[in-house]
Amino acid sequence: MSFGRKTIIAALMTGSMALGALVGAAAFTGVGSTANAAATTGQPSNVRGAGPNGAFTPNEDPAHEATESAAREAQEDAGQVPTIP
């Protein structure tokens, strides 16, 4: 009778390890995850003033222009993303 119990316990342990490996592999490979796909599509959200093609488009609103420095305006006029406040 002990041979039957040992076989059952060994089979349960093997099945448990196999299931754990499958769950672990799914967790680390992102199976079923759509967060990564959603994060990599579309325009970057951290670039202010990005136009439809991804190029920088300056804010030429008069209220905005009145508050910015000459150095920032020069960067905008050169088509650069401003690094100066």
Side-chain angles (χ1 to χ4, degrees), residues 3-81:
F3 177 73
R5 271 195 213 178
K6 286 182 182 179
T7 304
I8 291 172
I9 290 173
L12 289 173
M13 287 177 62
T14 303
S16 151
M17 288 174 29
L19 181 62
L22 289 174
V23 170
F28 284 108
T29 59
V31 172
S33 174
T34 58
N36 192 25
T40 58
T41 59
Q43 295 295 325
S45 61
N46 59 349
V47 177
R48 283 190 257 159
N53 63 354
F56 175 74
T57 53
N59 182 353
E60 298 297 333
D61 182 69
H64 171 78
E65 292 293 314
T67 63
E68 69 184 19
S69 67
R72 181 182 177 100
E73 181 62 26
Q75 282 184 323
E76 288 182 2
D77 290 342
Q80 301 171 346
V81 176

